[in-house]
Amino acid sequence: MRRVEDITEALWGRKVSPATISELNKKAVVGDKCLRMLEAVGEVFPEAKYQRCTVHFSRNVFSVVPHSKMTLVAKMLRAIHA
């Protein structure tokens, strides 16, 4: 199994501790923008902030990016999310 630090380094170019990830997760409910889930989160956790899952966001972006631009767009997305 991969360690959190290895995954965050691959995604963002720097290591982030599991404790930091845990603290961040307490402040945001991450999802794929499923409407039913958004409704449920709003009812159960009215003060929670919603954060779109970066994997699903990236998949949506890459579904419309020409193959010749994939590398450039991937670099741009990494910079944005960093």
Side-chain angles (χ1 to χ4, degrees):
M1 181 165 57
R2 291 189 198 182
R3 295 180 43 171
V4 170
E5 292 94 342
D6 296 334
I7 294 169
T8 58
E9 185 175 33
L11 289 173
W12 301 314
R14 59 192 288 203
K15 293 185 178 190
V16 178
S17 73
T20 301
I21 297 295
S22 181
E23 285 301 312
L24 291 171
N25 284 336
K26 290 178 185 175
K27 297 176 183 172
V29 176
V30 176
D32 63 0
K33 202 131 186 182
C34 169
L35 293 179
R36 295 284 185 217
M37 185 193 72
L38 288 174
E39 291 171 2
V41 168
E43 290 175 21
V44 178
F45 303 106
E47 296 191 24
K49 294 180 182 176
Y50 178 78
Q51 178 179 328
R52 178 91 191 273
C53 170
T54 57
V55 171
H56 288 99
F57 176 79
S58 296
R59 285 180 186 164
N60 291 149
V61 170
F62 290 128
S63 72
V64 295
V65 171
H67 185 72
S68 63
K69 303 289 184 189
M70 290 287 187
T71 302
L72 175 63
V73 171
K75 287 180 183 179
M76 294 166 88
L77 284 176
R78 280 194 296 275
I80 290 167
H81 290 295

